[in-house]
Amino acid sequence: ETWEPSVHVTYPGFGFALHDSMIRTSSGRLVLPAYMSPGKHTGPNDETPPVPGNLVNGQFVAVSGHWFDPHGPSFVYVMYSDDEGRTWERNRDGEIVMLLDWNATFGYVNEPNITEVSPGRLLMLMRTQMGRLYQAWSYDDGESWTRPMPTSLAAGTTPAQVRALDNGHLLVVWNQEGPDELKRGLSRQRLSSAISRNGGSVWEFFQNIESA
């Protein structure tokens, strides 16, 4: 019915958070994964980037609202609050980026989603362009994170939602996409789920929830 004055949570500028991504951990801490995409949002020569899509009944239909993400590589960071959201701190070990090799080759990660696997131990899943979801771990309630590593979950440039169930298992729901689907232009056409019984190391019990 009433609300306190708003406060800044994320970086100024292009700061984003995936929907329904803030969690409260067992310690009472609020943890919000966020991401930023610096740089221009147009292609070479400031041209509008091409649109991925397919022909449907002879009519070209776009199948993605993000085009080919021509802006600079995005990175993830985490904000947390121990006073019910009145003040916020950022994770202390810097931005979370995908390091492809030690010659400063990077890939983007964004649209992070997290869950608490056990007290103080958090799992983050991230959208990438590497053909699968990537993951990072925190062992101190969100204050520091491992570097992103690939999961076994095939995906295009799409995010995921991950949740801990009451029995301790993890549930992930995402757009599962294999190479053949992507070559045919079937982006974001299949909604799938999987379960992990060991805290996110192994995923099983794959289900197709819906497919277009």
Side-chain angles (χ1 to χ4, degrees):
E1 296 180 10
T2 61
W3 295 81
E4 295 182 5
S6 61
V7 298
H8 289 290
V9 178
T10 62
Y11 283 160
F14 288 104
F16 306 95
L18 190 64
H19 60 278
D20 194 24
S21 59
M22 184 171 68
I23 68 169
R24 183 188 295 276
T25 67
S26 56
S27 69
R29 170 174 288 177
L30 297 176
V31 182
L32 176 69
Y35 67 100
M36 216 176 160
S37 297
K40 283 183 172 289
H41 289 244
T42 55
N45 302 318
D46 286 332
E47 297 174 350
T48 301
V51 179
N54 210 341
L55 290 176
V56 178
N57 297 325
Q59 179 70 37
F60 183 83
V61 177
V63 294
S64 176
H66 294 283
W67 323 124
F68 284 117
D69 292 313
H71 45 69
S74 54
F75 57 83
V76 169
Y77 59 99
V78 175
M79 305 298 297
Y80 62 89
S81 173
D82 293 318
D83 58 5
E84 296 298 315
R86 292 178 177 86
T87 61
W88 294 83
E89 299 287 338
R90 197 197 73 182
N91 64 294
R92 54 182 168 80
D93 57 340
E95 292 79 15
I96 302 167
V97 298
M98 183 200 300
L99 181 62
L100 298 178
D101 61 44
W102 290 102
N103 292 315
T105 303
F106 296 90
Y108 69 72
V109 288
N110 57 36
E111 294 186 335
N113 195 250
I114 59 176
T115 194
E116 186 176 34
V117 177
S118 59
R121 183 178 177 221
L122 310 182
L123 168 65
M124 176 192 297
L125 295 181
M126 291 160 280
R127 170 188 169 194
T128 75
Q129 85 283 29
M130 301 299 291
R132 63 184 63 199
L133 298 174
Y134 270 53
Q135 64 185 2
W137 294 90
S138 173
Y139 300 98
D140 52 15
D141 216 16
E143 295 183 23
S144 63
W145 293 84
T146 65
R147 286 196 180 274
M149 297 294 291
T151 71
S152 60
L153 302 173
T157 55
T158 55
Q161 286 274 10
V162 59
R163 291 289 182 268
L165 305 178
D166 291 339
N167 61 3
H169 297 170
L170 302 183
L171 168 68
V172 61
V173 178
W174 85 111
N175 290 123
Q176 185 173 199
E177 297 170 351
D180 291 338
E181 290 170 295
L182 293 175
K183 289 177 182 178
R184 294 167 57 198
L186 298 177
S187 174
R188 304 186 182 219
Q189 297 294 298
R190 183 155 56 106
L191 188 65
S192 299
S193 67
I195 292 287
S196 176
R197 295 182 292 175
N198 66 349
S201 297
V202 176
W203 294 95
E204 53 189 342
F205 303 111
F206 288 80
Q207 299 283 338
N208 276 333
I209 302 172
E210 186 174 358
S211 176

